[in-house]
Amino acid sequence: MQKIPVIQDPTPPFATDGKFHVRLTEGRFQNLRRLTSWPMIALFFGLVWVQVDGQPFLFFSFEQRRITLFGSALSWHDLPLMAGLMIAGAALLFFMAVAWGRVWCGFACPQSIWTWLFIRIEQLAEGRASERSKSDHLPLRGTRLLRRVIKHLLWILLAVLTAATFTGYFVPIREIVADAVNLEMSATVVGWLAIMEGLTYANAGLVREKICLHACPYSRFQSVMFDENTLTVSYDAKRGEPRANRRHSNKNSADKNSGDCVDCGICVQVCPTGIDIRNGLQAACIDCAACIDACDTVMDRINRPGGLIRFASERQLEGKQSPFLRPRLAGYAAVTLCAISAVIYGFTDTKGLLVEVRRDRTVLFTQLDQNTVCNNYRVKVEGFASDQELIKVSLSGNPQFTLNGPEIIKLSDNNSAWLPYRICGSNVDEINAKLAFVFTGNGISTSKETTFLSKLI
């Protein structure tokens, strides 16, 4: 299979000063892209407001050192599960790349989704791509200036909503809104919101395809995943070349030997990265299939079959059979299934209660009388279940030991707080006796072993 070219296409002929305007199109793949992206947008803006029993449905709390993932509370000790989710997602991404190319980039990547949103706002405010391209050389004043200002104001509004929503997964969204209304937001939150707003505005509104071309590493390492059977957006040169401007109602003898491509350039005009797919597979292609829908529209108009540009493998373009199942794809599928299975198993073994016990290192033990020795400890309890409120603390071991300290810990007041405890023992013969703190509450029980020093060695 030929290598992905490292050179980029020259500036499209309809662009001005290196800037091009993406022409929006319709078709079955664009409908599929919307069926994929719009639910993701709705989930992003909606989940931040969802609460279950007064707790956020999806939330990352640095203050409480707690992760609420789809209603289930996790501790920061369960962060490896998040890493496992990322590994499973990466394996799934690699599987999709081997099978269908960069469909993630074209159909579900947040950069692409927000770029399409900004393009639609641009068309709403300033008109279609052809109108924007023609007016680029005109002075920026009057109605044109007003439309440009409206566009940027709408971009900024969407960027603000995006930044506030994203921040709402780390700081309660209701607090953000209330503090914004009352002008009481902290400098940290304001700074974070400003950074996120600026990044959203720049990435989706100003930079756009530059992220896909230069910043995204996926476009660079996808070449090692493609093989001759990978289905990716491809131009059928055998059918389309040589190109000729022709119409089904006005054919001449010179056109009879021409291919189906009428060289209309619409495939370039609808490309969000500005490439010409007719030049072959390129690193900048994000497999959004906009060129497929646009080309199929032209083929319908000239009474030619669709599929001049389509999802096809190198072998299919050569007229050969291209199997979908193959060892490489099966290997990625196996890795993906193993990663997902490991994550699912990990979520069944999470801990709802974490405890930590530390001995007082300043005074190893205290001799109260000839037969009684006491050790001091500090205990911290962290609960991660919404229905946990009271935790009972007891001591497991020889009955000659007694525990002094709060028998009941109220998590709403003392969650993650260090509490003092003292254990005293009478007539202790062992130098290092083994004991265990036992913590129980609402069907959950856990213990933490410690040592009791009665004398120096």
Side-chain angles (χ1 to χ4, degrees):
M1 186 175 184
Q2 66 178 18
K3 295 182 179 179
I4 297 179
V6 295
I7 60 173
Q8 302 296 336
D9 275 347
T11 301
F14 56 88
T16 58
D17 298 328
K19 177 183 178 182
F20 64 92
H21 301 275
V22 180
R23 175 177 175 175
L24 297 179
T25 187
E26 300 295 332
R28 66 184 190 281
F29 285 108
Q30 301 317 295
N31 292 334
L32 177 61
R33 180 174 57 79
R34 295 187 188 102
L35 287 175
T36 303
S37 61
W38 281 108
M40 296 178 65
I41 295 173
L43 287 174
F44 172 74
F45 285 105
L47 282 180
V48 73
W49 295 95
V50 177
Q51 290 187 344
V52 178
D53 296 329
Q55 299 296 322
F57 191 64
L58 182 61
F59 192 71
F60 302 85
S61 175
F62 290 97
E63 181 180 0
Q64 299 179 359
R65 303 202 304 171
R66 175 184 300 185
I67 304 171
T68 305
L69 192 63
F70 307 124
S72 300
L74 305 175
S75 71
W76 292 106
H77 296 266
D78 295 317
L79 275 178
L81 290 177
M82 304 301 293
L85 279 175
M86 296 180 67
I87 293 173
L92 179 60
L93 186 64
F94 298 159
F95 171 82
M96 295 172 63
V98 174
W100 301 288
R102 293 180 67 183
V103 289
W104 159 261
C105 298
F107 287 79
C109 175
Q111 170 67 26
S112 299
I113 292 175
W114 258 252
T115 295
W116 288 113
L117 289 176
F118 273 59
I119 291 174
R120 289 203 170 273
I121 290 175
E122 186 173 44
Q123 177 166 298
L124 176 66
E126 295 189 297
R128 294 180 297 179
S130 58
E131 298 174 11
R132 301 196 302 271
S133 180
K134 292 177 181 178
S135 62
D136 264 352
H137 66 282
L138 299 177
L140 191 60
R141 62 190 180 193
T143 304
R144 185 165 178 264
L145 176 60
L146 177 62
R147 298 177 74 177
R148 181 68 58 86
V149 170
I150 292 175
K151 178 189 73 173
H152 285 280
L153 288 177
L154 292 175
W155 279 1
I156 292 173
L157 176 61
L158 180 55
V160 169
L161 294 176
T162 301
T165 302
F166 181 79
T167 307
Y169 288 102
F170 301 89
V171 179
I173 186 65
R174 289 169 175 80
E175 291 184 13
I176 295 177
V177 174
D179 291 345
V181 171
N182 297 322
L183 301 179
E184 296 177 352
M185 279 198 296
S186 66
T188 302
V189 174
V190 171
W192 178 252
L193 286 173
I195 291 173
M196 291 304 302
E197 290 164 15
L199 289 175
T200 304
Y201 176 80
N203 287 350
L206 305 179
V207 182
R208 291 185 182 174
E209 76 284 350
K210 300 299 189 297
I211 297 295
C212 302
L213 295 175
H214 307 297
C216 180
Y218 188 38
S219 64
R220 301 305 168 189
F221 66 73
Q222 66 165 325
S223 59
V224 301
M225 298 182 181
F226 277 43
D227 58 31
E228 59 183 4
N229 295 303
T230 298
L231 298 174
T232 186
V233 174
S234 305
Y235 168 69
D236 192 344
K238 290 184 178 180
R239 174 185 158 187
E241 302 296 328
R243 308 170 193 172
N245 288 317
R246 71 181 195 180
R247 298 292 183 269
H248 64 278
S249 59
N250 185 22
K251 297 180 182 179
N252 54 46
S253 58
D255 290 330
K256 294 180 180 179
N257 296 323
S258 300
D260 284 349
C261 179
V262 297
D263 203 18
C264 61
I266 192 174
C267 57
V268 185
Q269 298 173 32
V270 300
C271 179
T273 58
I275 66 170
D276 189 342
I277 193 62
R278 295 172 297 179
N279 292 340
L281 181 62
Q282 297 161 68
C285 178
I286 62 173
D287 280 337
C288 66
C291 55
I292 297 179
D293 289 332
C295 185
D296 283 349
T297 301
V298 175
M299 291 297 105
D300 289 340
R301 291 176 181 175
I302 64 174
N303 291 333
R304 300 298 295 169
L308 178 60
I309 302 176
R310 64 185 184 274
F311 275 96
S313 67
E314 181 183 5
R315 290 179 60 87
Q316 288 176 341
L317 292 177
E318 295 173 351
K320 302 177 182 177
Q321 293 294 325
S322 181
F324 179 76
L325 292 177
R326 48 198 187 274
R328 186 184 229 185
L329 190 61
Y332 279 113
V335 172
T336 302
L337 290 176
C338 289
I340 294 175
S341 300
V343 170
I344 293 175
Y345 173 78
F347 274 103
T348 63
D349 194 35
T350 59
K351 295 182 179 180
L353 192 67
L354 291 178
V355 298
E356 192 171 349
V357 176
R358 293 183 182 178
R359 290 180 44 81
D360 187 350
R361 299 297 182 181
T362 58
V363 180
L364 296 181
F365 62 88
T366 302
Q367 188 82 38
L368 296 186
D369 55 43
Q370 186 175 1
N371 297 322
T372 305
V373 178
C374 295
N375 286 191
N376 295 324
Y377 301 85
R378 290 190 304 152
V379 174
K380 181 173 69 172
V381 179
E382 294 181 83
F384 300 98
S386 59
D387 55 354
Q388 283 183 349
E389 176 63 20
L390 302 178
I391 301 298
K392 182 180 180 181
V393 185
S394 59
L395 194 64
S396 174
N398 197 308
Q400 67 188 110
F401 295 98
T402 58
L403 178 66
N404 300 288
E407 183 179 357
I408 301 294
I409 297 177
K410 190 175 182 180
L411 293 181
S412 58
D413 298 330
N414 298 292
N415 196 33
S416 302
W418 288 100
L419 301 176
Y421 281 83
R422 169 179 281 195
I423 298 177
C424 295
S426 301
N427 301 316
V428 180
D429 296 329
E430 298 179 79
I431 297 177
N432 293 325
K434 298 296 183 181
L435 299 175
F437 283 84
V438 179
F439 306 86
T440 57
N442 196 25
I444 297 178
S445 179
T446 186
S447 61
K448 192 73 172 182
E449 290 189 352
T450 185
T451 56
F452 183 90
L453 298 180
S454 59
K455 62 183 69 176
L456 297 177
I457 299 177

